[in-house]
Amino acid sequence: VKTLISNVLMIQEWTHSPLVNNVYWTLQIEVKFYIIMVVFYYFFGGRWIYALLALLLATNAALWPFMHRGSTLITYLIAFFPGIAAARFLAQGATRKAFAEVAVVTMIAALDLLIFLPDTGLSQCIYAVIFSAALVASLIRYFRVPVLSFFAKISYSLYLYHAVVGYALIAAINGSGSW
């Protein structure tokens, strides 16, 4: 029960509960990102969002002499910024300025991965650039289709909890009580 509750609330790290799925470590980073963004938006609104990006980059650079790499958490937090830029692109309309913003932020995030988490390799950087380009292209084309927009809005929440619910059901059906 503790494992199920910890995974549903995504507090496995704090309760020392096992992950129901080994890729859930990424969701713990996401939860931290959301908490940081809520606090940031509460105090500063959206107008200083790239100041936060600069602060995270500076922190990673300051850690370099001590760790010979960047912070995994900070580097992956920076990897969320192309998504922020894409959301701003959608809100501002498909302008050249908004597209340039997405391109610059994506390149910053890709270089951050390459420099501060060298074990991620060049493939992660290339993936970030290609994914961001595909995201912008899909925003321009598909978000104007109401049915696709609806599914895009609900799919993430379904994704977050499908594994927890699925593994709990499997454990209950098998009667094993373990994941």
Side-chain angles (χ1 to χ4, degrees):
V1 173
K2 174 186 166 189
T3 300
L4 176 62
I5 292 170
S6 294
N7 277 269
V8 166
L9 296 176
M10 297 194 190
I11 57 171
Q12 311 91 320
E13 185 178 301
W14 300 326
T15 61
H16 304 288
S17 298
L19 300 173
V20 296
N21 186 326
N22 287 335
V23 297
Y24 262 32
W25 70 269
T26 62
L27 295 179
Q28 293 174 348
I29 289 176
E30 284 186 59
V31 169
K32 291 171 186 169
F33 171 77
Y34 297 138
I35 292 168
I36 289 168
M37 293 312 295
V38 166
V39 170
F40 185 84
Y41 268 81
Y42 177 79
F43 287 107
F44 301 108
R47 47 188 192 275
W48 294 98
I49 192 65
Y50 292 127
L52 177 59
L53 174 59
L55 177 66
L56 292 170
L57 286 166
T59 303
N60 244 358
L63 291 172
W64 181 266
F66 305 103
M67 299 173 54
H68 304 292
R69 61 179 288 129
S71 158
T72 302
L73 173 63
I74 291 172
T75 301
Y76 283 119
L77 290 176
I78 291 168
F80 282 94
F81 278 83
I84 292 170
R88 291 168 57 100
F89 175 88
L90 188 59
Q92 296 171 7
T95 65
R96 286 186 178 167
K97 179 183 178 222
F99 181 77
E101 184 179 312
V102 173
V104 168
V105 170
T106 299
M107 293 310 295
I108 289 169
L111 288 172
D112 182 69
L113 280 167
L114 186 63
I115 294 167
F116 293 115
L117 285 185
D119 52 321
T120 61
L122 184 60
S123 62
Q124 290 275 350
C125 300
I126 293 169
Y127 172 78
V129 171
I130 291 171
F131 180 77
S132 293
L135 178 62
V136 168
S138 68
L139 288 175
I140 294 169
R141 184 170 183 183
Y142 297 113
F143 265 75
R144 293 190 175 95
V145 178
V147 105
L148 293 176
S149 182
F150 168 77
F151 283 112
K153 289 175 184 173
I154 68 164
S155 66
Y156 187 68
S157 58
L158 296 175
Y159 157 74
L160 285 178
Y161 291 101
H162 82 280
V164 173
V165 172
Y167 284 120
L169 286 173
I170 290 168
I173 290 169
N174 288 337
S176 66
S178 67
W179 303 98

